[in-house]
Amino acid sequence: MSTSPYHRKIAFLTVLFLLAVFIIFTRMPADQIGGGMIQSPREGFYPPNFSSELMAGGVLDQKTLEGKVIVLNFWASWCPPCKAEMPALQAASIEFANQDVVILGVNATSQDSLADATQFIKENGITFPILLDSNGQINADFQVNSLPTTFFIGQDGKIKQIIVGGPISETSLRTQIEALIGGY
């Protein structure tokens, strides 16, 4: 059975009309998708809020770091690249200590042994703050699927760069931090 060009055109226009109606009635405002939150941390957007117990004691809340450059490094003591980049992070924490730069380690404690992480920190003389992610919530909020993962957050509070994998060299780390201090 052959259809005329006229019938094909009517069928095509009907499908377009139904598609337009579907789009109009099923669309949602952006603020209703995901509660207005960005579904995954991305460059150019604000990171998820975090607060966590510190390995050295006490609690650190991200809100206390407003206006500072933050280097947020997710790691575990069983991860060879994580361990390899720790000296560069330690050197940067000392070098930039007086420049509103905060280096933070987030130990994936839910996947690590607290005893092993503590021993590694002590043996290697790591002095920058280490957050304990004992229930995996910070890793989940930042959608960290690979260790190490490092987030560079600018003074404006937005994520400027995300590096998945490692180890990060001391030179690369210094260059990125200097760019953030310079207003990048």
Side-chain angles (χ1 to χ4, degrees), residues 87-125:
L89 291 163
Q90 176 62 28
S93 75
I94 293 168
E95 181 179 347
F96 295 101
N98 297 321
Q99 298 184 42
D100 281 336
V101 174
V102 178
I103 310 290
L104 296 173
V106 179
N107 178 256
T109 318
S110 62
Q111 305 171 29
D112 201 355
S113 156
L114 179 57
D116 289 345
T118 303
Q119 180 179 347
F120 176 80
I121 293 300
K122 286 181 181 176
E123 286 176 357
N124 292 280

Side-chain angles (χ1 to χ4, degrees), residues 1-174:
M1 178 177 169
S2 159
T3 58
S4 70
Y6 173 77
H7 288 107
R8 284 193 296 252
K9 188 182 248 183
I10 295 295
F12 178 74
L13 291 174
T14 302
V15 169
L16 281 179
F17 174 76
L18 292 174
L19 182 59
V21 169
F22 175 79
I23 290 171
I24 290 169
F25 286 106
T26 61
R27 68 184 176 91
M28 295 178 67
D31 64 348
Q32 290 182 4
I33 300 171
M37 299 294 292
I38 300 299
Q39 296 300 312
S40 65
R42 296 185 293 219
E43 293 176 11
F45 291 89
Y46 293 103
N49 291 322
F50 62 88
S51 177
S52 178
E53 179 184 353
L54 290 162
M55 184 178 279
V59 174
L60 182 123
D61 189 310
Q62 174 189 2
K63 293 175 186 162
T64 64
L65 304 175
E66 287 180 5
K68 298 182 184 218
V69 168
I70 302 169
V71 178
L72 191 63
N73 176 262
F74 290 82
W75 70 283
S77 65
W78 48 260
C79 165
C82 300
K83 295 193 298 190
E85 69 186 11
M86 279 294 176
L89 291 163
Q90 176 62 28
S93 75
I94 293 168
E95 181 179 347
F96 295 101
N98 297 321
Q99 298 184 42
D100 281 336
V101 174
V102 178
I103 310 290
L104 296 173
V106 179
N107 178 256
T109 318
S110 62
Q111 305 171 29
D112 201 355
S113 156
L114 179 57
D116 289 345
T118 303
Q119 180 179 347
F120 176 80
I121 293 300
K122 286 181 181 176
E123 286 176 357
N124 292 280
I126 304 301
T127 59
F128 60 86
I130 303 294
L131 300 160
L132 301 175
D133 190 14
S134 55
N135 63 4
Q137 189 61 53
I138 300 172
N139 275 266
D141 289 347
F142 278 81
Q143 296 189 5
V144 173
N145 297 313
S146 180
L147 297 175
T149 295
T150 306
F151 289 80
F152 292 88
I153 302 169
Q155 291 173 319
D156 62 356
K158 293 181 182 176
I159 297 169
K160 302 300 181 183
Q161 184 174 15
I162 303 168
I163 297 177
V164 178
I168 298 173
S169 72
E170 193 171 331
T171 302
S172 294
L173 188 58
R174 183 182 300 114

